[in-house]
Amino acid sequence: MTPLWTSDEIAAAVDGTASAAFAVSGVAFDSREVGPGDLFVALKGEATDGHKYIDTALAAGAAGVLVSEPVEAPHVLAADSFFALQALGRAARARTEAKIVGVTGSVGKTGTKEALFQALDRAVPGHAHRSVKSYNNHVGVPLSLSRMPAASAFGIFEMGMNHSGELSALTQLVRPHVAIVTAIAPAHIEFFASEDAIADAKAEIFEGLEPGGTAIIPFDSPQYDRLRRHAERFAANVLSFGMGRDADIRAVEAVPAAQGGTLVTAKLPTADICFTVGAPGEHWVTNALAVLGAVEAVGGDLAAAGLALAELPGLAGRGARTTLYVQGRDALLIDESYNANPLSMGATLRQLGKEKAARRVVVLGAMKELGHRSAELHAALAEPIAASGVDYAILVGEDMTPLAERLEGQVAFAHVPDADSAKALILSKVQPGDAILVKGSNSVGLSCVVAALADGGKA
């Protein structure tokens, strides 16, 4: 098997010195994620120092370590391990001939990244690479790049930000051939003056486009014109996707599929395609349109992409669906516990309203980083909650107080202080035939509610 990196290649990439000859098959900076044959990158942070965990990494099977201090182990010594990781990511990008896609947006970027990976990997199994989890920041992006095999045909990288200028730096590392902005929403509005300012920051992804590159932008967004102006400065081609008639990639028809999901007829610049999106919800239809646009832009196989979209698995914390067994009958658990903002809350609540269920139950955690608009945006959730026909709501956290006040007398609800309280309450309230949506910002910790429900009633 061809190694991912040899010690000599690592040393050359990071301007370091190898203590011995070794080869690695993977890269990790978290000692808990190290596997046999990995390179462990010992990063120094504000709270901890990765050099303290070198023995743990070696015990887990690390073949070598990247350090900024000499150690008694096979290693490459560099001046600064953080900058060395960035340099290794740049070297990985420089040595590959893969077509590279960058994905950002206020919502939908992880799901779109995963769907695009499945769509491209379906045609060339084992030759598509993507960032895992939500490794989308100044550490996660170079890590994901450094893990990309040189012989990859495609690379898909998620890029996130919560301040202006962050994407500008990340896109210069990734240097995508195709850059996707999924949607603009008031996520991280605490750090921005307006949603227009968020759009400007997301549009930084276009700055790193390779010559002849393609920008893919959401046609139905209120910030469409703004995004397009940014894209046209850097992209040779700008494609829009959405439901509007003038979108370059649009859904001509979208109807419920017999086995769940949505049957879509889409028009692309060079083809028409009929396919099924296995994941339910209108937001997944628009995500799929962006995916198909990117597949076409990098010369991928549209037919294989359509098959992959039909079989797309639900992602833990981002729409995974589990059938529970409660008192002899099924109940549905929808896990959206990883992230939440006003746009994604509305989309998932609308989908909940379409579920056939004896009761629709929601466990909703606070939406973070909304700044001075927090009270307004939480209270505004009352409308989609009512429209979706929610029968019972559990609201989690102090930030949910404005919503609790708005729901008074409209919907049966409980307001609890934390995730543990929500867990205890929902376990006592779940009934046969329920459809239960669990959604909130990751910091609220609602994954424990999902785990408790799944452990207690998985079919």
Side-chain angles (χ1 to χ4, degrees):
M1 181 180 294
T2 303
L4 179 65
W5 295 100
T6 66
S7 52
D8 286 344
E9 290 169 339
I10 297 167
V14 306
D15 193 22
T17 304
S19 69
F22 61 89
V24 301
S25 55
V27 184
F29 59 66
D30 186 334
S31 61
R32 296 166 296 184
E33 296 183 357
V34 170
D38 279 354
L39 173 71
F40 174 61
V41 183
L43 297 177
K44 291 185 176 182
E46 295 180 2
T48 188
D49 183 348
H51 292 78
K52 296 179 180 179
Y53 301 96
I54 289 174
D55 288 344
T56 302
L58 293 171
V65 293
L66 177 55
V67 294
S68 55
E69 301 172 2
V71 294
E72 293 298 324
H75 67 270
V76 171
L77 177 64
D80 185 293
S81 51
F82 169 71
F83 291 112
L85 177 60
Q86 290 198 320
L88 193 62
R90 280 193 293 271
R93 177 65 184 88
R95 71 180 183 174
T96 186
E97 296 183 0
K99 292 293 185 181
I100 304 297
V101 182
V103 183
T104 193
S106 300
V107 295
K109 53 185 177 289
T110 299
T112 298
K113 177 256 299 181
E114 289 295 325
L116 182 54
F117 169 76
Q118 297 291 340
L120 293 170
D121 189 66
R122 182 72 176 242
V124 288
H127 291 281
H129 172 80
R130 93 289 207 184
S131 49
V132 298
K133 299 184 178 180
S134 287
Y135 283 165
N136 61 18
N137 63 8
H138 64 291
V139 177
V141 169
L143 175 72
S144 299
L145 281 166
S146 71
R147 290 172 165 178
M148 179 169 55
S152 297
F154 302 105
I156 307 101
F157 297 93
E158 178 181 338
M159 288 177 269
M161 65 90 206
N162 55 21
H163 289 85
S164 178
E166 292 176 342
L167 272 178
S168 183
L170 295 179
T171 192
Q172 300 298 337
L173 284 173
V174 174
R175 292 192 290 114
H177 298 95
V178 177
I180 301 172
V181 175
T182 58
I184 302 298
H188 314 302
I189 194 70
E190 177 181 359
F191 308 114
F192 294 92
S194 65
E195 289 182 47
D196 283 348
I198 293 174
D200 292 341
K202 293 295 184 184
E204 291 172 10
I205 193 174
F206 306 134
E207 296 174 12
L209 276 169
E210 289 286 89
T214 298
I216 299 178
I217 58 178
F219 181 81
D220 304 318
S221 170
Q223 287 77 32
Y224 169 72
D225 290 336
R226 196 177 194 92
L227 289 169
R228 188 173 192 94
R229 287 194 297 272
H230 282 291
E232 287 174 343
R233 294 175 56 203
F234 302 99
N237 307 292
V238 180
L239 297 175
S240 59
F241 68 94
M243 310 302 283
R245 289 181 56 85
D246 293 329
D248 298 309
I249 306 152
R250 65 184 178 94
V252 178
E253 187 176 25
V255 298
Q259 303 302 316
T262 309
L263 180 64
V264 182
T265 302
K267 180 173 287 294
L268 282 71
T270 63
D272 292 349
I273 181 172
C274 184
F275 64 100
T276 298
V277 182
E282 293 177 7
H283 56 296
W284 268 110
V285 174
T286 55
N287 289 349
L289 296 174
V291 166
L292 291 176
V295 170
E296 187 176 48
V298 297
D301 186 327
L302 285 173
L307 293 173
L309 289 168
E311 299 171 0
L312 189 67
L315 304 177
R318 293 183 171 90
R321 299 161 73 88
T322 302
T323 300
L324 308 178
Y325 191 67
V326 180
Q327 300 174 22
R329 286 181 57 197
D330 290 347
L332 172 64
L333 170 61
I334 305 170
D335 175 15
E336 287 273 0
S337 61
Y338 188 82
N339 206 352
N341 59 56
L343 187 62
S344 65
M345 279 284 199
T348 51
L349 284 166
R350 283 194 298 274
Q351 180 55 37
L352 178 67
K354 298 176 182 178
E355 301 290 345
K356 295 180 179 179
R359 291 192 314 165
R360 297 183 182 92
V361 178
V362 295
V363 181
L364 300 181
M367 303 179 290
K368 298 299 185 178
E369 297 184 351
L370 298 181
H372 70 279
R373 295 188 62 190
S374 179
E376 164 206 346
L377 293 172
H378 279 94
L381 294 177
E383 183 177 341
I385 286 173
S388 64
V390 167
D391 296 286
Y392 184 68
I394 299 175
L395 311 179
V396 186
E398 184 179 351
D399 291 337
M400 281 292 185
T401 300
L403 176 58
E405 293 171 351
R406 185 72 63 85
L407 289 181
E408 194 70 49
Q410 298 183 32
V411 175
F413 74 92
H415 187 194
V416 299
D418 52 38
D420 285 338
S421 302
K423 177 175 67 175
L425 184 56
I426 189 63
L427 288 174
S428 70
K429 293 290 186 179
V430 62
Q431 296 180 11
D434 282 352
I436 307 163
L437 168 65
V438 181
K439 187 168 180 64
S441 291
N442 191 42
S443 61
V444 180
L446 294 185
S447 58
C448 75
V449 175
V450 173
L453 284 167
D455 290 344
K458 188 178 292 184

